[in-house]
Each structure stands twice: as structure tokens, then as C-alpha cells.
Amino acid sequence: MKINLTNIKKAKKLLNKNECVAIPTETVYGLAGNAYSNQACKKIFQLKKRPKNNPLIVHYLNYRKLEKDCNFNDNFLKLYKKFCPGPITFILDLKKNSKISKIVTNNKSTLAVRFPKHPLTRCLLGKLSYPLAAPSANLSSKVSAVNSNDVKEDFGKKVKFVLEGGRSSIGIESTIVDLRNKPKILRLGGLEISSIQSALNKKIQINNNPSKVSAPGQYKLHYSPGIPIRLNVKKIKTNEAYLLIKKNKETKSNYFFLSKTGNLKEAAKNLYSTLRKIRGKNYKSIAVSKIPNKGLGRTINDRLIRASKF
Ligand code: TXA
Ligand code: MG
């Protein structure tokens, strides 16, 4: 990808003034601000209409830059070496003298950290003297943004600048793993659990039960396109959009396919943009055909279940 330095400079200038800028990542777009600045972090929460008790992920260029803010451990280093930069977020203990704004963590002693892979955002991070706090660049509880138009659709001119980085290649948020004690998955995401398990050489607990919320991304209503969703549907109702994992012979105007052949990576990449597309039409609800509950299919099902708690 060609790096447009004029745009990077513009983003840097705004961030240095404690403004928010939308940044591309390989998972979804983020709404970024200086993670060391209370003022910038407050703006992120206001723009997103995000509850204060839902902490933000902080994005770093590499682990060296993280050293002054968090304590590392062996599991972190193992996973970092294998998957970073990439679609994985770590929960670590904050260092006492860290400069991370208390607004980011809601005064907690832990921090969610991620090392995004997108070249533009990496270039930007390399030019800043602080890491970037960035939740997904969508209004709270709504469908995430996977390109610059999605961000503009949600925020209009309220977000001063969107760093144009094309379409997110993974299209679904990072996998969150809590590494403070025994590793635990807090949110299913773009990195498959089986890959994390084989890197650590052990089975990991998945703490994905919505009644035990430790990552508010686990709150029930989330990722919502604003109309009801029914899951595992074989027969649709009138005025319903039908979301299918793979293209079939019937091509009715209300049929939406997540992939050509049932490929789960492709389906994950298309999920949010397809939900946005359906939302822009006049359907009363969305019926979803069964999606295999394995690999990234688990992440897709997780998002659809939460989106269905309308
Ligand atoms: O792929 C991603 O992770 C994207 C891109 C922009 O990096 N970001 C993202 O952020 O999905 P957001 O804010 O939409 O989701 C962050 C999740 C929330 O569920 C939040 O509760 C959880 O991370 N989280 C943040 N800090 C935490 C902490 N200290 N302990 C547990 N969960 C935390
Ligand atoms: Mg989000």
C-alpha cells in the first residue's frame, strides 16, 4: 500500500491537539486519540456515546513502546512473537507510573493493548510520542466500521479526519485474551482460538458468557443494525432480508451472501458491510441461515447473537 504522508501529517497534527481521528486497522476502523491525554480520551467517549465504564484498547507500534506502561509475562511474549502485529488484544497489568489516562481504563489497574498491522496506522504510530486509545469507530452498540464511508455514515463531520486506508482486510474485531493469570479469551475475534491454543500449547478457557461481563464488548446488545435479527432460519417471512453464508442458486433481491463458497474468512470480512447494506434498505428484520460454529464462524455467530438481542 502506498503511504500518503500528507494525510499522516494531518492526522498527527490533529492528534497532537487532542482531537480524535479515525484510523484504519486490519480488523475494523478505530476512533483514535492520545491515550496519555484525558481531554482526548473524553472526546472519544463523547463522540461514540460510549458508557464510561467500558474501557478502551490502546494501540502501540511495538512492545518496546509498551514497556513503560505495562508489565509483561511469558505468555504475552510468546503470543506477541507469533501474532503481532495482528488481530489480538492483550489484557495486562498497568505499571503504577504509567501515563495512560484514567479515562481510558475507568480507573482500573489493567490495560487492553493491541499492535495493529495496517501500514498507515503503523506509520502514524511511529511518528507519535504517545500510544493511541481507539475503540471501534462506530456509535456505541451499533455495527462496526470497516471502511472510511462507514465512519462518515456514523459521525458525519463530528470526526474531524478519517485516515483513508481502504477496506479492513479482516473485517471483524480483534480476539481479546486476558493474560494476567491463566490465559482466558474475553472476546472472540479475528484470530482463531485454535491458533492461540497451539501457540501456548494448552487449551484456553473462553469467558464468553454474557451474564458474566468482564469485557463490556460482551454486553448483550452490540453490533446492532437497528432491526431485529432471527438466527438459524430455514424459512423467511415477508419483508425479511435473508443472510446466507454462501451464494446459492436462488438470487432474489432480498438474499445477501457473506461469501461465494462458504469460506469463513471471506464471510467474516463481509459481515459488517452486509449488515450496513441491509440496514440501508427497508426490511423489517433479518433472517440468518445457519452458520457453521467453527473457526471464524464462531466469531460471526457471537456477533450475530449479540446483534439479535434487539
Ligand atoms: O479490533 C479491535 O479490537 C478494534 C480496533 C479498532 O483495534 N477495537 C475494538 O475496540 O474493538 P472496542 O472498544 O470496540 O472494544 C474493546 C473491547 C471492549 O469490549 C472493552 O470492554 C474491552 O475491549 N476492554 C478494554 N479494556 C479492557 C480491560 N482492561 N479489561 C477487559 N476488557 C477490556
Ligand atoms: Mg466496538
Side-chain angles (χ1 to χ4, degrees), residues 81 115 119 153 218 244 256:
K81 273 187 203 142
F115 307 88
E153 195 175 278
Q218 301 179 345
L244 299 126
F256 297 86

Side-chain angles (χ1 to χ4, degrees), residues 229-241:
I229 296 188
R230 304 190 300 128
L231 301 174
N232 298 321
V233 175
K234 284 194 183 130
K235 205 163 172 236
I236 62 168
K237 299 179 187 166
T238 44
N239 284 329
E240 225 172 13

Side-chain angles (χ1 to χ4, degrees), residues 16-31:
N16 282 345
K17 285 198 245 169
N18 289 321
E19 295 292 349
C20 296
V21 164
I23 54 166
T25 91
E26 71 284 12
T27 57
V28 297
Y29 272 65
L31 185 59

